[in-house]
Amino acid sequence: MRYEYRESTSGGQFLMTINEQDFTRYFFQEQDKKFNALIWNRGKSQRISVDEQRFEVPENTFIALNVSHSFRLERSEDAVIWQFNREFYCIITHDAEVSCSGLLFYGWRETNAIFLDEKFTRSFSILVEVFRDEFDTRDNIQGEMLRVLLKRLIIKLTRLIKEQSPIGQLDNPDLDTIRQFNLLVEMNYKKIHQVQDYANLMFKSPKTLSNLFSKFNDKSPLQIIANRIFLESKRLMLYTDLSAGEVGYELGFSEPAHFSRFFKKMAGQTPSEFKKESMNLR
């Protein structure tokens, strides 16, 4: 079943999909539909393909994906999927309300599962039913009511991810720095590739950032930047007809050879080898 709310004035869209088979989301085929997604796998453990990379989603867990992800579930009928665009609720603009930017959707590890215990399972099940009722209620405050429920959902998940990860061991200023770095990378990775430049934007030293990330993460700031560039390069190679040189230019590399060296270092194969292998697997 698919529920949908649209705002004609702002272009805001909010969707909730429940127990629907064959659900897919392909960003490069639907670039006009820039949805963040929250996915609750209510059934047994299953696989999800995110940008053609497969992950295991454990039983009774949430994952959060941002607007540029393509994904499909092995058993979408076992899932509840919320999707919303920036026009309906901008997580960056409203970060002071939910404290999730750079953590939940642009977080420290992609597709990090959020586990639910019995108490939270009941709580989220009730919330799903409240969402159903509100989607069915057509009046002049429906949009605001749905935004309130979405905020509640995001806040509850943000609290859980903090509790369940090493991030929970950090002081709030440290956590804010991590979230700010992740968000800056997400907004600037196509043109800024060096840790020093991000450190300057944050009025920090590169050493300060490296020491902070070493407290909770096995990836350095430079690795996080490189991984984000690499992820986008794979998306562009998989879902567009751009050449390797054009992909490199799109991602801020001045010379095709520089991009090819970067890609081979990250993937263990050249861009053309990656694209050929991917086409054979699809």
Side-chain angles (χ1 to χ4, degrees):
M1 183 174 292
R2 187 170 183 263
Y3 298 87
E4 182 173 2
Y5 172 78
R6 290 174 178 262
E7 290 176 326
S8 57
T9 53
S10 68
Q13 287 180 267
F14 184 33
L15 300 87
M16 184 174 73
T17 305
I18 303 175
N19 303 334
E20 185 171 307
Q21 292 185 348
D22 302 321
F23 178 97
T24 57
R25 154 71 175 159
Y26 288 108
F27 169 73
F28 285 101
Q29 295 176 12
E30 305 174 90
Q31 294 195 47
D32 59 326
K33 300 176 181 177
K34 297 184 177 181
F35 295 129
N36 291 301
L38 292 165
I39 303 167
W40 181 13
N41 177 33
R42 298 201 290 185
K44 299 295 184 182
S45 177
Q46 65 169 302
R47 284 171 293 180
I48 184 172
S49 295
V50 181
D51 300 317
E52 304 308 316
Q53 185 174 358
R54 290 178 176 81
F55 300 89
E56 196 72 19
V57 182
E59 178 179 356
N60 199 28
T61 57
F62 270 88
I63 62 170
L65 300 173
N66 65 51
V67 295
S68 58
H69 282 116
S70 296
F71 66 92
R72 62 182 182 274
L73 291 156
E74 181 182 17
R75 298 188 312 278
S76 56
E77 64 270 21
D78 288 346
V80 181
I81 303 166
W82 290 266
Q83 295 176 280
F84 62 96
N85 63 7
R86 179 173 182 170
E87 288 75 15
F88 181 77
Y89 190 77
C90 179
I91 57 176
I92 297 174
T93 303
H94 295 93
D95 186 54
E97 298 176 345
V98 294
S99 298
C100 70
S101 293
L103 180 60
L104 186 58
F105 293 97
Y106 305 106
W108 57 289
R109 288 179 185 169
E110 291 201 48
T111 66
N112 191 64
I114 305 169
F115 292 84
L116 304 185
D117 59 18
E118 185 177 343
K119 173 187 173 183
F120 277 102
T121 299
R122 289 195 303 271
S123 176
F124 282 110
S125 295
I126 293 170
L127 191 55
V128 168
E129 295 308 311
V130 177
F131 268 113
R132 282 182 188 263
D133 289 342
E134 200 54 53
F135 271 107
D136 288 334
T137 302
R138 303 289 179 177
D139 59 24
N140 60 0
I141 61 169
Q142 183 187 20
E144 288 310 308
M145 289 297 294
L146 286 171
R147 261 184 285 272
V148 168
L149 292 174
L150 177 60
K151 280 198 294 184
R152 179 171 176 79
L153 176 63
I154 291 172
I155 289 169
K156 287 167 72 71
L157 291 173
T158 302
R159 287 173 176 169
L160 279 173
I161 200 170
K162 288 178 180 179
E163 291 175 5
Q164 294 176 14
S165 73
I167 286 179
Q169 302 168 11
L170 298 175
D171 295 330
N172 284 337
D174 290 342
L175 177 57
D176 287 341
T177 299
I178 290 166
R179 290 171 53 246
Q180 183 185 4
F181 178 83
N182 285 328
L183 190 57
L184 284 171
V185 170
E186 184 63 31
M187 294 189 297
N188 297 286
Y189 67 89
K190 290 185 179 181
K191 58 181 182 290
I192 301 179
H193 295 179
Q194 300 301 318
V195 176
Q196 178 68 65
D197 295 323
Y198 286 101
N200 291 341
L201 289 173
M202 300 173 68
F203 303 101
K204 307 280 185 185
S205 72
K207 185 66 174 177
T208 296
L209 292 178
S210 295
N211 290 340
L212 177 56
F213 273 85
S214 68
K215 290 183 181 180
F216 81 100
N217 200 329
D218 58 356
K219 292 183 177 67
S220 68
L222 184 59
Q223 288 173 317
I224 290 170
I225 298 166
N227 286 347
R228 185 62 186 90
I229 298 168
F230 179 51
L231 173 62
E232 194 66 17
S233 69
K234 289 193 296 181
R235 289 174 179 161
L236 292 168
M237 298 292 289
L238 284 168
Y239 302 121
T240 74
D241 294 325
L242 295 178
S243 67
E246 290 169 328
V247 170
Y249 180 77
E250 176 73 14
L251 296 177
F253 291 87
S254 58
E255 297 292 337
H258 295 167
F259 171 68
S260 292
R261 285 196 295 270
F262 166 81
F263 193 94
K264 187 168 185 180
K265 179 181 178 182
M266 298 295 292
Q269 55 188 167
T270 66
S272 58
E273 290 170 342
F274 170 81
K275 190 152 192 172
K276 182 178 179 180
E277 181 181 292
S278 300
M279 293 300 293
N280 291 335
L281 292 174
R282 294 179 71 180

PDB file of all heavy atoms in Angstrom, residues 232-257:
ATOM      1  N   GLU A 232      30.194   8.262  -5.570  1.00  0.00           N
ATOM      2  CA  GLU A 232      29.518   8.987  -6.651  1.00  0.00           C
ATOM      3  C   GLU A 232      30.066   8.587  -8.010  1.00  0.00           C
ATOM      4  O   GLU A 232      29.300   8.509  -8.985  1.00  0.00           O
ATOM      5  CB  GLU A 232      29.673  10.497  -6.443  1.00  0.00           C
ATOM      6  CG  GLU A 232      28.755  11.334  -7.306  1.00  0.00           C
ATOM      7  CD  GLU A 232      27.278  11.153  -6.954  1.00  0.00           C
ATOM      8  OE1 GLU A 232      26.986  10.640  -5.856  1.00  0.00           O
ATOM      9  OE2 GLU A 232      26.430  11.528  -7.790  1.00  0.00           O
ATOM     10  N   SER A 233      31.345   8.314  -8.081  1.00  0.00           N
ATOM     11  CA  SER A 233      31.905   7.883  -9.363  1.00  0.00           C
ATOM     12  C   SER A 233      31.302   6.555  -9.799  1.00  0.00           C
ATOM     13  O   SER A 233      30.998   6.362 -10.988  1.00  0.00           O
ATOM     14  CB  SER A 233      33.433   7.773  -9.271  1.00  0.00           C
ATOM     15  OG  SER A 233      33.835   6.687  -8.446  1.00  0.00           O
ATOM     16  N   LYS A 234      31.076   5.649  -8.870  1.00  0.00           N
ATOM     17  CA  LYS A 234      30.437   4.376  -9.212  1.00  0.00           C
ATOM     18  C   LYS A 234      29.006   4.589  -9.674  1.00  0.00           C
ATOM     19  O   LYS A 234      28.551   3.957 -10.633  1.00  0.00           O
ATOM     20  CB  LYS A 234      30.469   3.423  -8.013  1.00  0.00           C
ATOM     21  CG  LYS A 234      31.842   2.888  -7.680  1.00  0.00           C
ATOM     22  CD  LYS A 234      31.768   1.722  -6.710  1.00  0.00           C
ATOM     23  CE  LYS A 234      31.212   2.149  -5.367  1.00  0.00           C
ATOM     24  NZ  LYS A 234      31.167   1.006  -4.420  1.00  0.00           N
ATOM     25  N   ARG A 235      28.281   5.475  -9.007  1.00  0.00           N
ATOM     26  CA  ARG A 235      26.908   5.768  -9.421  1.00  0.00           C
ATOM     27  C   ARG A 235      26.873   6.294 -10.846  1.00  0.00           C
ATOM     28  O   ARG A 235      26.039   5.885 -11.659  1.00  0.00           O
ATOM     29  CB  ARG A 235      26.284   6.799  -8.479  1.00  0.00           C
ATOM     30  CG  ARG A 235      25.977   6.284  -7.100  1.00  0.00           C
ATOM     31  CD  ARG A 235      25.500   7.427  -6.225  1.00  0.00           C
ATOM     32  NE  ARG A 235      25.176   6.962  -4.886  1.00  0.00           N
ATOM     33  CZ  ARG A 235      25.090   7.747  -3.837  1.00  0.00           C
ATOM     34  NH1 ARG A 235      25.323   9.027  -3.947  1.00  0.00           N
ATOM     35  NH2 ARG A 235      24.775   7.261  -2.650  1.00  0.00           N
ATOM     36  N   LEU A 236      27.765   7.229 -11.146  1.00  0.00           N
ATOM     37  CA  LEU A 236      27.789   7.818 -12.482  1.00  0.00           C
ATOM     38  C   LEU A 236      28.196   6.793 -13.532  1.00  0.00           C
ATOM     39  O   LEU A 236      27.673   6.796 -14.660  1.00  0.00           O
ATOM     40  CB  LEU A 236      28.731   9.013 -12.504  1.00  0.00           C
ATOM     41  CG  LEU A 236      28.282  10.229 -11.688  1.00  0.00           C
ATOM     42  CD1 LEU A 236      29.412  11.244 -11.538  1.00  0.00           C
ATOM     43  CD2 LEU A 236      27.065  10.886 -12.320  1.00  0.00           C
ATOM     44  N   MET A 237      29.104   5.892 -13.176  1.00  0.00           N
ATOM     45  CA  MET A 237      29.506   4.841 -14.109  1.00  0.00           C
ATOM     46  C   MET A 237      28.387   3.829 -14.327  1.00  0.00           C
ATOM     47  O   MET A 237      28.215   3.295 -15.427  1.00  0.00           O
ATOM     48  CB  MET A 237      30.761   4.126 -13.584  1.00  0.00           C
ATOM     49  CG  MET A 237      31.986   5.001 -13.448  1.00  0.00           C
ATOM     50  SD  MET A 237      32.670   5.559 -15.022  1.00  0.00           S
ATOM     51  CE  MET A 237      33.349   4.039 -15.642  1.00  0.00           C
ATOM     52  N   LEU A 238      27.613   3.560 -13.288  1.00  0.00           N
ATOM     53  CA  LEU A 238      26.554   2.553 -13.373  1.00  0.00           C
ATOM     54  C   LEU A 238      25.306   3.058 -14.075  1.00  0.00           C
ATOM     55  O   LEU A 238      24.686   2.333 -14.857  1.00  0.00           O
ATOM     56  CB  LEU A 238      26.175   2.089 -11.956  1.00  0.00           C
ATOM     57  CG  LEU A 238      27.127   1.136 -11.246  1.00  0.00           C
ATOM     58  CD1 LEU A 238      26.756   1.035  -9.772  1.00  0.00           C
ATOM     59  CD2 LEU A 238      27.083  -0.249 -11.893  1.00  0.00           C
ATOM     60  N   TYR A 239      24.913   4.285 -13.779  1.00  0.00           N
ATOM     61  CA  TYR A 239      23.576   4.744 -14.153  1.00  0.00           C
ATOM     62  C   TYR A 239      23.545   5.829 -15.238  1.00  0.00           C
ATOM     63  O   TYR A 239      22.469   6.305 -15.586  1.00  0.00           O
ATOM     64  CB  TYR A 239      22.839   5.267 -12.921  1.00  0.00           C
ATOM     65  CG  TYR A 239      22.704   4.248 -11.819  1.00  0.00           C
ATOM     66  CD1 TYR A 239      23.224   4.487 -10.557  1.00  0.00           C
ATOM     67  CD2 TYR A 239      22.044   3.042 -12.036  1.00  0.00           C
ATOM     68  CE1 TYR A 239      23.093   3.551  -9.535  1.00  0.00           C
ATOM     69  CE2 TYR A 239      21.911   2.106 -11.028  1.00  0.00           C
ATOM     70  CZ  TYR A 239      22.437   2.371  -9.779  1.00  0.00           C
ATOM     71  OH  TYR A 239      22.303   1.449  -8.770  1.00  0.00           O
ATOM     72  N   THR A 240      24.695   6.247 -15.728  1.00  0.00           N
ATOM     73  CA  THR A 240      24.700   7.253 -16.788  1.00  0.00           C
ATOM     74  C   THR A 240      25.566   6.762 -17.946  1.00  0.00           C
ATOM     75  O   THR A 240      26.283   5.759 -17.839  1.00  0.00           O
ATOM     76  CB  THR A 240      25.251   8.605 -16.299  1.00  0.00           C
ATOM     77  OG1 THR A 240      26.676   8.522 -16.145  1.00  0.00           O
ATOM     78  CG2 THR A 240      24.624   9.014 -14.972  1.00  0.00           C
ATOM     79  N   ASP A 241      25.513   7.490 -19.034  1.00  0.00           N
ATOM     80  CA  ASP A 241      26.325   7.161 -20.213  1.00  0.00           C
ATOM     81  C   ASP A 241      27.586   8.007 -20.283  1.00  0.00           C
ATOM     82  O   ASP A 241      28.255   8.045 -21.326  1.00  0.00           O
ATOM     83  CB  ASP A 241      25.495   7.371 -21.489  1.00  0.00           C
ATOM     84  CG  ASP A 241      24.329   6.397 -21.592  1.00  0.00           C
ATOM     85  OD1 ASP A 241      24.497   5.235 -21.149  1.00  0.00           O
ATOM     86  OD2 ASP A 241      23.261   6.797 -22.095  1.00  0.00           O
ATOM     87  N   LEU A 242      27.924   8.664 -19.190  1.00  0.00           N
ATOM     88  CA  LEU A 242      29.134   9.486 -19.183  1.00  0.00           C
ATOM     89  C   LEU A 242      30.375   8.620 -19.341  1.00  0.00           C
ATOM     90  O   LEU A 242      30.456   7.511 -18.820  1.00  0.00           O
ATOM     91  CB  LEU A 242      29.223  10.269 -17.874  1.00  0.00           C
ATOM     92  CG  LEU A 242      28.150  11.324 -17.602  1.00  0.00           C
ATOM     93  CD1 LEU A 242      28.370  11.949 -16.232  1.00  0.00           C
ATOM     94  CD2 LEU A 242      28.148  12.389 -18.680  1.00  0.00           C
ATOM     95  N   SER A 243      31.357   9.144 -20.068  1.00  0.00           N
ATOM     96  CA  SER A 243      32.646   8.452 -20.170  1.00  0.00           C
ATOM     97  C   SER A 243      33.417   8.619 -18.870  1.00  0.00           C
ATOM     98  O   SER A 243      33.061   9.455 -18.021  1.00  0.00           O
ATOM     99  CB  SER A 243      33.457   9.041 -21.326  1.00  0.00           C
ATOM    100  OG  SER A 243      33.828  10.383 -21.024  1.00  0.00           O
ATOM    101  N   ALA A 244      34.484   7.861 -18.726  1.00  0.00           N
ATOM    102  CA  ALA A 244      35.300   7.974 -17.512  1.00  0.00           C
ATOM    103  C   ALA A 244      35.853   9.386 -17.361  1.00  0.00           C
ATOM    104  O   ALA A 244      35.875   9.941 -16.262  1.00  0.00           O
ATOM    105  CB  ALA A 244      36.439   6.955 -17.546  1.00  0.00           C
ATOM    106  N   GLY A 245      36.276   9.987 -18.469  1.00  0.00           N
ATOM    107  CA  GLY A 245      36.797  11.344 -18.412  1.00  0.00           C
ATOM    108  C   GLY A 245      35.736  12.340 -17.977  1.00  0.00           C
ATOM    109  O   GLY A 245      36.011  13.253 -17.193  1.00  0.00           O
ATOM    110  N   GLU A 246      34.523  12.158 -18.481  1.00  0.00           N
ATOM    111  CA  GLU A 246      33.423  13.049 -18.107  1.00  0.00           C
ATOM    112  C   GLU A 246      33.043  12.873 -16.640  1.00  0.00           C
ATOM    113  O   GLU A 246      32.715  13.850 -15.960  1.00  0.00           O
ATOM    114  CB  GLU A 246      32.220  12.781 -19.007  1.00  0.00           C
ATOM    115  CG  GLU A 246      32.433  13.232 -20.451  1.00  0.00           C
ATOM    116  CD  GLU A 246      31.343  12.734 -21.388  1.00  0.00           C
ATOM    117  OE1 GLU A 246      30.800  11.626 -21.139  1.00  0.00           O
ATOM    118  OE2 GLU A 246      31.055  13.431 -22.374  1.00  0.00           O
ATOM    119  N   VAL A 247      33.078  11.634 -16.152  1.00  0.00           N
ATOM    120  CA  VAL A 247      32.810  11.387 -14.737  1.00  0.00           C
ATOM    121  C   VAL A 247      33.854  12.096 -13.884  1.00  0.00           C
ATOM    122  O   VAL A 247      33.529  12.752 -12.886  1.00  0.00           O
ATOM    123  CB  VAL A 247      32.790   9.875 -14.430  1.00  0.00           C
ATOM    124  CG1 VAL A 247      32.755   9.626 -12.918  1.00  0.00           C
ATOM    125  CG2 VAL A 247      31.601   9.214 -15.096  1.00  0.00           C
ATOM    126  N   GLY A 248      35.117  11.952 -14.274  1.00  0.00           N
ATOM    127  CA  GLY A 248      36.182  12.613 -13.530  1.00  0.00           C
ATOM    128  C   GLY A 248      36.015  14.113 -13.496  1.00  0.00           C
ATOM    129  O   GLY A 248      36.190  14.749 -12.442  1.00  0.00           O
ATOM    130  N   TYR A 249      35.660  14.698 -14.631  1.00  0.00           N
ATOM    131  CA  TYR A 249      35.442  16.143 -14.691  1.00  0.00           C
ATOM    132  C   TYR A 249      34.278  16.548 -13.790  1.00  0.00           C
ATOM    133  O   TYR A 249      34.349  17.554 -13.072  1.00  0.00           O
ATOM    134  CB  TYR A 249      35.169  16.565 -16.130  1.00  0.00           C
ATOM    135  CG  TYR A 249      34.941  18.045 -16.296  1.00  0.00           C
ATOM    136  CD1 TYR A 249      36.020  18.941 -16.283  1.00  0.00           C
ATOM    137  CD2 TYR A 249      33.658  18.563 -16.454  1.00  0.00           C
ATOM    138  CE1 TYR A 249      35.812  20.304 -16.413  1.00  0.00           C
ATOM    139  CE2 TYR A 249      33.438  19.924 -16.580  1.00  0.00           C
ATOM    140  CZ  TYR A 249      34.523  20.790 -16.559  1.00  0.00           C
ATOM    141  OH  TYR A 249      34.314  22.149 -16.683  1.00  0.00           O
ATOM    142  N   GLU A 250      33.196  15.747 -13.805  1.00  0.00           N
ATOM    143  CA  GLU A 250      32.031  16.019 -12.956  1.00  0.00           C
ATOM    144  C   GLU A 250      32.411  16.023 -11.491  1.00  0.00           C
ATOM    145  O   GLU A 250      31.822  16.761 -10.686  1.00  0.00           O
ATOM    146  CB  GLU A 250      30.961  14.953 -13.217  1.00  0.00           C
ATOM    147  CG  GLU A 250      29.728  15.031 -12.348  1.00  0.00           C
ATOM    148  CD  GLU A 250      28.804  16.183 -12.706  1.00  0.00           C
ATOM    149  OE1 GLU A 250      28.980  16.759 -13.798  1.00  0.00           O
ATOM    150  OE2 GLU A 250      27.927  16.509 -11.897  1.00  0.00           O
ATOM    151  N   LEU A 251      33.418  15.235 -11.119  1.00  0.00           N
ATOM    152  CA  LEU A 251      33.805  15.093  -9.722  1.00  0.00           C
ATOM    153  C   LEU A 251      35.030  15.927  -9.350  1.00  0.00           C
ATOM    154  O   LEU A 251      35.620  15.724  -8.293  1.00  0.00           O
ATOM    155  CB  LEU A 251      34.068  13.619  -9.407  1.00  0.00           C
ATOM    156  CG  LEU A 251      32.838  12.715  -9.543  1.00  0.00           C
ATOM    157  CD1 LEU A 251      33.201  11.253  -9.291  1.00  0.00           C
ATOM    158  CD2 LEU A 251      31.748  13.144  -8.576  1.00  0.00           C
ATOM    159  N   GLY A 252      35.400  16.856 -10.213  1.00  0.00           N
ATOM    160  CA  GLY A 252      36.429  17.818  -9.841  1.00  0.00           C
ATOM    161  C   GLY A 252      37.849  17.445 -10.181  1.00  0.00           C
ATOM    162  O   GLY A 252      38.781  18.103  -9.706  1.00  0.00           O
ATOM    163  N   PHE A 253      38.059  16.420 -11.009  1.00  0.00           N
ATOM    164  CA  PHE A 253      39.414  16.043 -11.427  1.00  0.00           C
ATOM    165  C   PHE A 253      39.763  16.804 -12.702  1.00  0.00           C
ATOM    166  O   PHE A 253      39.015  16.783 -13.681  1.00  0.00           O
ATOM    167  CB  PHE A 253      39.506  14.538 -11.670  1.00  0.00           C
ATOM    168  CG  PHE A 253      39.396  13.713 -10.423  1.00  0.00           C
ATOM    169  CD1 PHE A 253      38.147  13.334  -9.939  1.00  0.00           C
ATOM    170  CD2 PHE A 253      40.528  13.316  -9.729  1.00  0.00           C
ATOM    171  CE1 PHE A 253      38.032  12.577  -8.782  1.00  0.00           C
ATOM    172  CE2 PHE A 253      40.430  12.558  -8.574  1.00  0.00           C
ATOM    173  CZ  PHE A 253      39.175  12.194  -8.098  1.00  0.00           C
ATOM    174  N   SER A 254      40.903  17.468 -12.704  1.00  0.00           N
ATOM    175  CA  SER A 254      41.281  18.311 -13.835  1.00  0.00           C
ATOM    176  C   SER A 254      41.752  17.504 -15.034  1.00  0.00           C
ATOM    177  O   SER A 254      41.651  17.963 -16.174  1.00  0.00           O
ATOM    178  CB  SER A 254      42.379  19.302 -13.412  1.00  0.00           C
ATOM    179  OG  SER A 254      43.519  18.604 -12.906  1.00  0.00           O
ATOM    180  N   GLU A 255      42.253  16.291 -14.781  1.00  0.00           N
ATOM    181  CA  GLU A 255      42.771  15.449 -15.863  1.00  0.00           C
ATOM    182  C   GLU A 255      42.158  14.047 -15.769  1.00  0.00           C
ATOM    183  O   GLU A 255      42.058  13.489 -14.668  1.00  0.00           O
ATOM    184  CB  GLU A 255      44.290  15.330 -15.787  1.00  0.00           C
ATOM    185  CG  GLU A 255      45.039  16.640 -15.967  1.00  0.00           C
ATOM    186  CD  GLU A 255      44.919  17.177 -17.381  1.00  0.00           C
ATOM    187  OE1 GLU A 255      44.650  16.362 -18.298  1.00  0.00           O
ATOM    188  OE2 GLU A 255      45.101  18.390 -17.574  1.00  0.00           O
ATOM    189  N   PRO A 256      41.761  13.458 -16.906  1.00  0.00           N
ATOM    190  CA  PRO A 256      41.220  12.091 -16.882  1.00  0.00           C
ATOM    191  C   PRO A 256      42.165  11.087 -16.241  1.00  0.00           C
ATOM    192  O   PRO A 256      41.722  10.167 -15.553  1.00  0.00           O
ATOM    193  CB  PRO A 256      41.002  11.785 -18.369  1.00  0.00           C
ATOM    194  CG  PRO A 256      40.818  13.114 -19.014  1.00  0.00           C
ATOM    195  CD  PRO A 256      41.705  14.048 -18.247  1.00  0.00           C
ATOM    196  N   ALA A 257      43.456  11.275 -16.450  1.00  0.00           N
ATOM    197  CA  ALA A 257      44.430  10.337 -15.888  1.00  0.00           C
ATOM    198  C   ALA A 257      44.416  10.374 -14.367  1.00  0.00           C
ATOM    199  O   ALA A 257      44.603   9.337 -13.707  1.00  0.00           O
ATOM    200  CB  ALA A 257      45.831  10.655 -16.412  1.00  0.00           C
TER     201      ALA A 257
END
